Amino acid sequence: MPSIKLDGKEIPFEKGETIITAAHKAGVEIPHYCWHPGLSVAANCRMCLVEIDATPTRRQLVLDVLAWDEKKQDYVPGRKPKLEPACQVECIDGLVVKSDTSPNVSDARKHVQEFLLLNHPVDCPICDQAGECKLQDYWLSEDKQPKRKTEEILHKPKAVEFGDTIVYDAERCIVCTRCVRFMDEIAKDPVLDKRERGNLGEIFVSPGRKLEGHYTMMVDEVCPVGALTTKDFRFKARVWFLKKVPSICPGCATGCNTWLDYDARTGEVPRLRPRENLAVNKYWMCDDGILTHRRVQEKRTLHAYVGKGKARKEVSPIAALKAAAQLIKDAPGKVAIILSAQRSTEDNFALAYLAKKHLDVKELFLARVGDWDGDDILRDNDANPNVRGAQRGAGDTSLSPLSELAEPVAGQQISVLIALGGEADISDATTVGALGRAKLIAIAANHGPLTENAEVILPAASFAEQDGSFINRQGTEQRFSAGPEPAGDSLAGWDILARLARQLGKPIDWKSFLDVRAAMKAALPSPAAANPESAAAAAPAE
Amino acid sequence: MPQPLVGSFPYDKVKGTAVPKPTRTASEQGYVSEITKGIAVTMTHFFKNTRAMVRGERPDPVVDPMSEGITTLEYPDQKRPYPERFRGVHRLTHRDDGSPRCVACLCCSTACPAQCIYIEAGEYGGKDKRHGYERYPVKFVIDELRCIFCGYCVEACPCDAIRMDTGVHPVPYDSRDQFIYGKNMLLAMASQAGKQKHENPRAEPPDADYGPIERLAGHH
Ligand code: SF4
Ligand code: SF4
Ligand code: SF4
Ligand code: SF4
Ligand code: FES
């Protein structure tokens, strides 16, 4: 493989790659603002300037400059290599590039940084980006000098609404045009553009339009500074209080890889961010996916309940487990289960395992929510993250849709249902009637049609609070990790099922998530989950 | 019957030195003469103090605590003044227009080692002149019971919004919730000199010294 030498380090590259891309892949960061691995090159910020030595086929540009001479106390003529943007120069085999090791480069970075901050408001204390801002990072690593400009800064519009999700601050904007390019190239809706020049430059929305569609919140993610903020996260948290765990978006069958940011003190999950996975979501997510963080707080079950409608009352988790066990014991042979395309493969496996092994259940149903509008960017029509995982949890038994529930319930073959998840798309009246007639035990994190009809509700942890995995539309199993502690009385889904088994006098000895994984591996040696740890390595199964 | 000591401490094996009982003289044992001596000392001081007070010779215990003589403070009617930089309970400063100077940046709660400051940030509405420039605390709560009075919050504040110059030391209350100071309570406090304003003037929209929005001002 051809390679370049960056600060003395061999860096391999593929034909056509720029210096910054090759370095990025090798894990070396060259300071930059406008370059983004997923976007086209604009080369307008000049932060990535590097010094490139001459090669036999490429001469080095040299500039005549006046340099300050400390001894003479005067400017003297000198020569200096012309620096080139690493984000734009293509790699050539054997190219010798100096980045951190060149005093000229350090000098340039310092000046670019000072230039970008010339009219910057530096209102970091009230800026949501503070703590993860490139301006702060590079000021600390490259500049570190107090502001020399004494005049009042140039004022520009602040808190401009760019639509229903995004707020723009022109004073903080460094006009890197990442947001413009994102809307153009990825969201395929070139609704943003730049106007004016020099220090008056600012981003605006096409007249008569607003920033809308499924991919607006990503502009906040690509913005390297605090110029774009989402209304959803604005002023909600300071980022240094947040911890992150790798997670998977539960929004649809695509299964975008995410970072789940949570506040360990309160258990709140104020935002999700995309996590790079070139095989699934590249660098992006859709708005609805980001907003799934609300499911961790909204409509949560939190406590155990027994009874339906007016008779429903909160009970201790153990009392609810006992009530559930009693319902099951009272209806031998008449139990069916409803798996959930919204919950993890492990939870589905746990329920199917309990049902098949100990309850002699024949009929397995699948609850899923309705479709949403997919596109060919990221979103899948299927708004269920784990249809394939639910099927895998059930092994060879096929899953029937909920609409087939009415007949056996009416015919008294089924009188007790154990359902995973509270959400389901139940539109027809007969199914609703069937759910109402049967005695339903719901193991759910969020309230929905299933918990509404439930006789017993057992509060389960949300996707943010338990380890698990989803199998996405490509057939790739993707693991997600537990962030905050389970809220209220909730427990991981498989844990509730293991406890329920104990109440039934048929113990299942799972103590941890890994026990469930091991049991699943032993029970279902299927190649579908060939590569649990790495989504990128698994090939699409379709 | 006395209960045996719990456990089995090996008293017999421990070696030590016996402390002899103090011996008493007959007058000590007789009680009356010793009591008379004690009362005599007390009465001496009583007459000495009374005389000093009547003649106006007693040093002022508030301003002159290190002088010779009796400088007992009649607390709480008399209080020693705190030094100027004494860290008392917190207050939140006001802007000139009376609004809280705090911008809800959470710098203070970040710096606070006791983690006793809770803030919820809000945004000035679309019509407000500070819209877009400032956030403000919707909730600002300090748990003064948890606070260790280190003053880090004051150091951390970028806009002189929080101060500990009230000169009020933490007051004993009879229930814990009374130590939880809310935003209004903190805004109502004043400095030792009675000031409530901040001392960090800064050009703010729409002050005269705050520049215009250049694009709208016609610089093209
Ligand atoms: S964009 Fe960065 S440097 Fe500017 S105010 Fe926000 S955090 Fe501070
Ligand atoms: S808003 Fe952010 S991403 Fe867009 S040009 Fe300005 S700094 Fe760049
Ligand atoms: S004085 Fe110290 S402990 Fe008390 S609120 Fe301020 S930072 Fe926290
Ligand atoms: S008191 Fe000061 S440091 Fe604390 S939130 Fe308000 S402005 Fe920030
Ligand atoms: S990253 Fe902006 S010029 Fe290269």
Side-chain angles (χ1 to χ4, degrees), chain A residues 131-407:
Chain A
E132 51 183 21
C133 175
K134 289 277 188 196
L135 280 171
Q136 290 183 328
D137 294 352
Y138 293 148
W139 182 85
L140 209 59
S141 65
E142 314 296 337
D143 189 3
K144 261 193 190 157
Q145 61 174 342
K147 196 168 188 166
R148 291 191 286 173
K149 177 176 160 171
T150 50
E151 293 84 14
E152 180 73 20
I153 65 157
L154 188 143
H155 289 292
K156 292 200 241 178
K158 285 178 94 80
V160 184
E161 295 201 1
F162 268 12
D164 302 331
T165 51
I166 293 289
V167 179
Y168 173 66
D169 184 317
E171 286 188 348
R172 292 185 196 146
C173 176
I174 58 165
V175 205
C176 70
T177 70
R178 271 194 192 183
C179 53
V180 176
R181 282 173 284 145
F182 174 84
M183 286 313 290
D184 188 6
E185 294 160 17
I186 309 296
K188 307 270 189 268
D189 181 13
V191 64
L192 295 184
D193 210 340
K194 180 198 165 224
R195 70 172 162 212
E196 301 285 355
R197 293 200 280 174
N199 54 12
L200 292 178
E202 69 178 76
I203 303 300
F204 73 109
V205 190
S206 301
R209 286 284 318 271
K210 55 181 190 173
L211 187 61
E212 59 197 345
H214 286 315
Y215 298 92
T216 59
M217 288 162 85
M218 248 328 80
V219 298
D220 159 57
E221 179 65 26
V222 296
C223 183
V225 300
L228 294 168
T229 44
T230 62
K231 285 192 189 165
D232 182 50
F233 184 66
R234 201 167 156 82
F235 303 166
K236 288 286 180 328
R238 306 298 341 219
V239 296
W240 51 85
F241 288 131
L242 303 179
K243 293 191 160 64
K244 64 171 186 185
V245 285
S247 187
I248 302 295
C249 171
C252 79
T254 305
C256 292
N257 291 212
T258 64
W259 287 115
L260 183 124
D261 286 349
Y262 67 100
D263 192 328
R265 303 166 302 175
T266 59
E268 273 165 35
V269 179
R271 68 174 179 183
L272 294 180
R273 285 178 296 133
R275 181 160 54 93
E276 180 179 328
N277 185 335
L278 295 178
V280 180
N281 57 314
K282 299 203 172 68
Y283 313 92
W284 324 115
M285 280 180 83
C286 77
D287 291 359
D288 291 320
I290 292 176
L291 293 178
T292 55
H293 75 79
R294 292 183 179 166
R295 295 184 193 174
V296 183
Q297 262 80 41
E298 277 174 10
K299 295 205 308 197
R300 279 300 292 276
T301 47
L302 292 182
H303 303 289
Y305 296 91
V306 169
K308 233 193 259 193
K310 287 229 164 59
R312 178 168 289 175
K313 58 178 195 298
E314 191 186 318
V315 295
S316 70
I318 187 77
L321 276 175
K322 287 205 171 113
Q326 198 55 49
L327 285 181
I328 297 168
K329 281 186 197 154
D330 288 349
K334 290 189 174 180
V335 181
I337 61 167
I338 303 175
L339 297 183
S340 169
Q342 291 281 324
R343 293 200 62 93
S344 74
T345 311
E346 290 74 15
D347 286 359
N348 280 300
F349 165 74
L351 179 53
Y353 180 83
L354 172 72
K356 286 200 222 163
K357 188 142 186 239
H358 293 314
L359 303 177
D360 194 26
V361 167
K362 299 274 161 356
E363 305 238 34
L364 275 61
F365 296 90
L366 178 68
R368 45 190 297 169
V369 303
D371 286 353
W372 70 8
D373 43 339
D375 57 31
D376 48 15
I377 302 172
L378 283 178
R379 293 160 64 94
D380 196 272
N381 281 330
D382 180 5
N384 295 288
N386 205 20
V387 174
R388 281 168 184 73
Q391 181 59 63
R392 172 162 158 74
D396 305 332
T397 323
S398 67
L399 301 176
S400 330
L402 282 186
S403 54
E404 287 173 20
L405 202 61
E407 221 176 280

Side-chain angles (χ1 to χ4, degrees), chain B residues 90 108 111-114 116-117 142 146-153 164:
Chain B
H90 309 74
C108 52
C112 176
C116 62
I117 309 181
I142 300 184
R146 240 192 193 198
C147 170
I148 56 166
F149 293 86
C150 61
Y152 283 8
C153 49
M164 296 177 79

Side-chain angles (χ1 to χ4, degrees), chain A residues 1-20:
Chain A
M1 208 174 191
S3 66
I4 58 168
K5 235 189 176 98
L6 179 66
D7 290 339
K9 194 179 166 206
E10 286 294 322
I11 302 222
F13 68 90
E14 273 159 35
K15 199 175 164 351
E17 271 176 5
T18 55
I19 297 174
I20 206 169

